[in-house]
Coordinates of all heavy atoms in Angstrom, one line a residue:
Y1573 N 10.7 6.3 0.7 CA 12.1 6.2 0.3 C 12.8 7.5 0.5 O 14.0 7.6 0.6 CB 12.3 5.8 -1.1 CG 12.0 6.9 -2.2 CD1 13.0 7.8 -2.5 CD2 10.8 7.0 -2.9 CE1 12.8 8.9 -3.4 CE2 10.6 8.1 -3.9 CZ 11.6 8.9 -4.1 OH 11.5 10.0 -5.0
M1574 N 12.1 8.7 0.5 CA 12.6 10.0 0.7 C 13.3 10.2 2.0 O 14.1 11.1 2.2 CB 11.5 11.1 0.5 CG 11.0 11.1 -1.0 SD 9.6 12.1 -1.2 CE 9.4 11.9 -2.9
Q1575 N 13.1 9.4 3.0 CA 13.7 9.4 4.3 C 15.0 8.6 4.4 O 15.7 8.4 5.4 CB 12.7 8.9 5.3 CG 11.5 9.7 5.5 CD 10.6 9.2 6.5 OE1 10.8 8.7 7.6 NE2 9.2 9.2 6.2
Y1576 N 15.4 7.9 3.2 CA 16.5 7.1 3.2 C 17.6 7.5 2.3 O 18.7 7.0 2.4 CB 16.1 5.7 2.7 CG 15.2 4.9 3.6 CD1 13.8 5.0 3.7 CD2 15.8 3.9 4.4 CE1 13.0 4.3 4.5 CE2 14.9 3.2 5.2 CZ 13.6 3.3 5.3 OH 12.8 2.6 6.1
G1577 N 17.5 8.8 1.8 CA 18.6 9.3 1.0 C 18.9 8.6 -0.2 O 20.0 8.6 -0.6
I1578 N 18.1 7.8 -0.8 CA 18.2 7.1 -2.0 C 17.0 7.2 -3.0 O 16.0 7.7 -2.4 CB 18.4 5.5 -1.8 CG1 17.2 4.9 -1.1 CG2 19.6 5.2 -1.0 CD1 16.3 4.0 -1.8
E1579 N 17.1 6.8 -4.1 CA 16.0 6.9 -5.1 C 15.8 5.6 -5.8 O 16.8 5.0 -6.1 CB 16.3 8.1 -6.1 CG 16.1 9.5 -5.6 CD 16.3 10.6 -6.5 OE1 16.6 10.3 -7.6 OE2 16.5 11.7 -6.0
P1580 N 14.6 5.2 -6.0 CA 14.4 3.9 -6.8 C 14.5 4.2 -8.1 O 14.5 5.5 -8.7 CB 12.9 3.6 -6.5 CG 12.3 4.9 -6.2 CD 13.3 5.8 -5.5
D1581 N 14.6 3.2 -9.2 CA 14.5 3.4 -10.6 C 13.0 3.3 -11.0 O 12.5 4.0 -11.9 CB 15.3 2.3 -11.2 CG 16.7 2.4 -10.9 OD1 17.4 3.4 -11.4 OD2 17.3 1.5 -10.2
I1582 N 12.4 2.5 -10.2 CA 10.9 2.3 -10.5 C 10.2 2.4 -9.2 O 10.6 1.7 -8.2 CB 10.6 1.0 -11.3 CG1 11.4 0.8 -12.5 CG2 9.0 0.8 -11.5 CD1 11.2 -0.5 -13.3
L1583 N 9.0 3.0 -9.1 CA 8.2 3.2 -8.0 C 6.7 2.7 -8.2 O 6.3 3.1 -9.2 CB 8.3 4.6 -7.5 CG 7.5 5.0 -6.2 CD1 8.2 4.5 -5.0 CD2 7.2 6.5 -6.2
T1584 N 6.1 1.9 -7.3 CA 4.8 1.5 -7.6 C 3.9 2.2 -6.5 O 4.3 2.3 -5.4 CB 4.5 -0.1 -7.6 OG1 5.0 -0.5 -6.4 CG2 5.3 -0.7 -8.7
V1585 N 2.8 2.7 -6.9 CA 1.9 3.3 -6.0 C 0.4 2.9 -6.4 O 0.2 2.4 -7.4 CB 1.9 5.0 -6.1 CG1 3.4 5.4 -5.9 CG2 1.4 5.5 -7.4
A1586 N -0.5 3.0 -5.3 CA -1.9 2.7 -5.6 C -2.5 3.1 -4.2 O -2.2 4.3 -3.7 CB -2.2 1.3 -5.8
K1587 N -3.5 2.4 -3.8 CA -4.2 2.6 -2.5 C -4.5 4.2 -2.4 O -5.5 4.6 -3.0 CB -3.4 2.1 -1.3 CG -3.3 0.6 -1.3 CD -3.0 -0.1 -0.1 CE -3.4 -1.6 -0.1 NZ -2.4 -2.6 -0.3
A1588 N -3.8 5.0 -1.5 CA -4.2 6.3 -1.2 C -4.1 7.3 -2.4 O -4.6 8.4 -2.3 CB -3.4 6.8 -0.1
V1589 N -3.5 6.8 -3.5 CA -3.3 7.8 -4.6 C -4.6 8.3 -5.3 O -4.8 9.3 -5.8 CB -2.3 7.2 -5.7 CG1 -3.0 6.2 -6.5 CG2 -1.7 8.2 -6.5
G1590 N -5.7 7.3 -5.1 CA -7.0 7.8 -5.5 C -7.9 8.0 -4.4 O -9.1 8.4 -4.8
C1591 N -7.6 7.7 -3.2 CA -8.4 8.0 -2.1 C -10.0 7.5 -2.3 O -10.9 8.1 -2.0 CB -8.5 9.5 -1.7 SG -7.0 9.9 -0.7
G1592 N -10.1 6.3 -2.9 CA -11.4 5.7 -3.1 C -11.7 5.4 -4.5 O -12.5 4.5 -4.8
V1593 N -11.2 6.1 -5.5 CA -11.3 5.8 -6.8 C -10.2 4.8 -7.2 O -9.1 5.0 -6.8 CB -11.3 7.0 -7.7 CG1 -11.1 6.7 -9.3 CG2 -12.3 8.1 -7.6
P1594 N -10.5 3.7 -7.9 CA -9.6 2.7 -8.0 C -8.6 3.1 -9.0 O -8.8 3.2 -10.2 CB -10.3 1.5 -8.5 CG -11.8 1.7 -8.5 CD -11.8 3.2 -8.3
V1595 N -7.3 3.3 -8.6 CA -6.2 3.7 -9.5 C -4.9 3.4 -8.8 O -4.7 3.4 -7.5 CB -6.4 5.2 -9.8 CG1 -6.5 6.1 -8.5 CG2 -5.2 5.7 -10.7
G1596 N -3.9 3.0 -9.7 CA -2.4 2.8 -9.3 C -1.6 3.5 -10.4 O -2.1 4.0 -11.3
A1597 N -0.3 3.3 -10.1 CA 0.6 3.8 -11.2 C 2.1 3.2 -10.9 O 2.3 2.7 -9.8 CB 0.8 5.2 -11.1
F1598 N 2.8 3.0 -12.0 CA 4.1 2.8 -11.8 C 4.9 3.9 -12.4 O 4.5 4.4 -13.4 CB 4.7 1.3 -12.2 CG 4.5 1.0 -13.7 CD1 5.5 1.2 -14.6 CD2 3.2 0.6 -14.2 CE1 5.4 0.9 -15.9 CE2 3.1 0.2 -15.5 CZ 4.2 0.4 -16.4
L1599 N 6.0 4.4 -11.7 CA 6.7 5.5 -12.1 C 8.1 5.1 -12.4 O 8.6 4.2 -11.8 CB 6.6 6.7 -11.1 CG 5.1 7.1 -10.9 CD1 4.6 6.7 -9.5 CD2 5.1 8.7 -11.0
M1600 N 8.9 5.9 -13.2 CA 10.3 5.4 -13.4 C 11.0 6.7 -13.6 O 10.6 7.7 -13.9 CB 10.5 4.4 -14.4 CG 9.9 4.8 -15.8 SD 10.1 3.5 -17.1 CE 8.8 2.4 -16.5
N1601 N 12.4 6.5 -13.4 CA 13.3 7.6 -13.8 C 13.7 7.6 -15.2 O 13.2 6.7 -15.9 CB 14.6 7.6 -13.0 CG 15.4 6.3 -13.1 OD1 15.1 5.5 -14.1 ND2 16.2 5.9 -12.1
E1602 N 14.3 8.7 -15.7 CA 14.4 8.8 -17.2 C 15.3 7.7 -17.7 O 15.1 7.2 -18.8 CB 15.0 10.2 -17.4 CG 14.8 10.7 -19.0 CD 13.4 10.8 -19.3 OE1 12.6 11.5 -18.7 OE2 13.0 10.2 -20.4
K1603 N 16.3 7.3 -17.0 CA 17.2 6.3 -17.4 C 16.5 5.0 -17.7 O 16.7 4.4 -18.8 CB 18.2 5.9 -16.3 CG 19.1 4.8 -16.5 CD 20.1 4.4 -15.3 CE 19.4 3.2 -14.6 NZ 20.3 2.6 -13.6
T1604 N 15.5 4.6 -16.9 CA 14.7 3.5 -17.1 C 13.7 3.7 -18.2 O 13.5 2.8 -19.1 CB 14.0 3.1 -15.8 OG1 14.9 3.0 -14.8 CG2 13.3 1.7 -15.9
A1605 N 13.1 4.8 -18.2 CA 12.2 5.1 -19.3 C 12.6 5.2 -20.7 O 12.1 4.7 -21.6 CB 11.4 6.5 -19.1
A1606 N 13.9 5.6 -20.8 CA 14.6 5.8 -22.0 C 14.9 4.4 -22.7 O 15.2 4.4 -23.9 CB 15.9 6.6 -21.9
S1607 N 15.0 3.4 -21.9 CA 15.4 2.1 -22.4 C 14.5 1.0 -21.9 O 15.1 -0.1 -21.4 CB 16.8 1.8 -22.1 OG 17.3 0.7 -22.8

Side-chain angles (χ1 to χ4, degrees):
Y1573 83 77
M1574 293 167 176
Q1575 296 175 42
Y1576 288 81
I1578 58 113
E1579 284 175 10
D1581 298 294
I1582 304 178
L1583 179 74
T1584 58
V1585 307
K1587 294 198 164 101
V1589 77
C1591 280
V1593 170
V1595 52
F1598 62 98
L1599 299 106
M1600 55 184 77
N1601 56 20
E1602 200 60 56
K1603 175 188 100 167
T1604 310
S1607 187

